[in-house]
Amino acid sequence: MTAGEVMTAYIEKGLAGMQARKAAVEGRGVTVITSSGTLVTLLLAFLVVSPGKMEHNTGAKILVALSLLGFTLSSTFGVLVNVPRKGQEPRPDSLHGHLAEPYWSASANEAQKVIATAQLHTWQTTFDAWRSKSKLLLYAFVSQLFAVLTLGLGVLLVVL
């Protein structure tokens, strides 16, 4: 086995792992959107059930408004996690030059090098996307935690 074959196998494995991590982050982004939507529904149900109790409780109104803002931010960050990023895969037309002579008659090692370079580029752009999506997911979780805490405090002010 040549060094090129070893590197190609390593790059393929690394790329597959990075794509799986990126997909997992995107799946968690969808989960944040879903749970924020559910919790906003509960927030609205709480407002419908307790309108008289909220009327003169300014602190509870502020906390509920902050909670709604937190859920909105959380959902927004969740959506941003799932926005596709351009340039992750090499364009097929980038290989046209390798179909002409002298590349077409070159050794398999030359083709392996071209493909490994393209895969390495894809790995890098997928890593960059994963890193930025992971930050957005963290912001979504923090926003949702903030929203849940402020909602809980608002409910406590109304109930007590």
Side-chain angles (χ1 to χ4, degrees), residues 59-82:
K61 286 180 186 177
I62 291 171
L63 287 170
V64 168
L66 288 173
S67 179
L68 186 58
L69 174 66
F71 287 130
T72 302
L73 286 173
S74 180
S75 293
T76 302
F77 286 129
V79 168
L80 291 174
V81 166
N82 287 288

Side-chain angles (χ1 to χ4, degrees), residues 3-74:
E5 291 169 333
V6 172
M7 284 299 295
T8 299
Y10 176 76
I11 291 169
E12 287 173 353
K13 185 177 177 183
L15 175 58
M18 184 53 58
Q19 288 171 331
R21 277 187 234 117
K22 185 177 134 293
V25 165
E26 290 170 349
R28 289 183 184 114
V30 171
T31 302
V32 167
I33 296 166
T34 304
S35 60
S36 286
T38 303
L39 292 168
V40 165
T41 303
L42 291 174
L43 168 66
L44 295 175
F46 169 71
L47 292 175
V48 168
V49 170
S50 61
K53 295 178 181 180
M54 292 281 293
E55 193 172 313
H56 301 292
N57 196 334
T58 305
K61 286 180 186 177
I62 291 171
L63 287 170
V64 168
L66 288 173
S67 179
L68 186 58
L69 174 66
F71 287 130
T72 302
L73 286 173
S74 180

Side-chain angles (χ1 to χ4, degrees), residues 3 15 23-24 31 34 43 46 61 73 79 85 88 92 101 122-123 126 131 138 146:
L15 175 58
T31 302
T34 304
L43 168 66
F46 169 71
K61 286 180 186 177
L73 286 173
V79 168
R85 299 230 348 208
Q88 292 181 13
E101 291 297 334
T122 302
W123 186 1
T126 303
R131 185 173 40 202
L138 177 63
F146 170 78

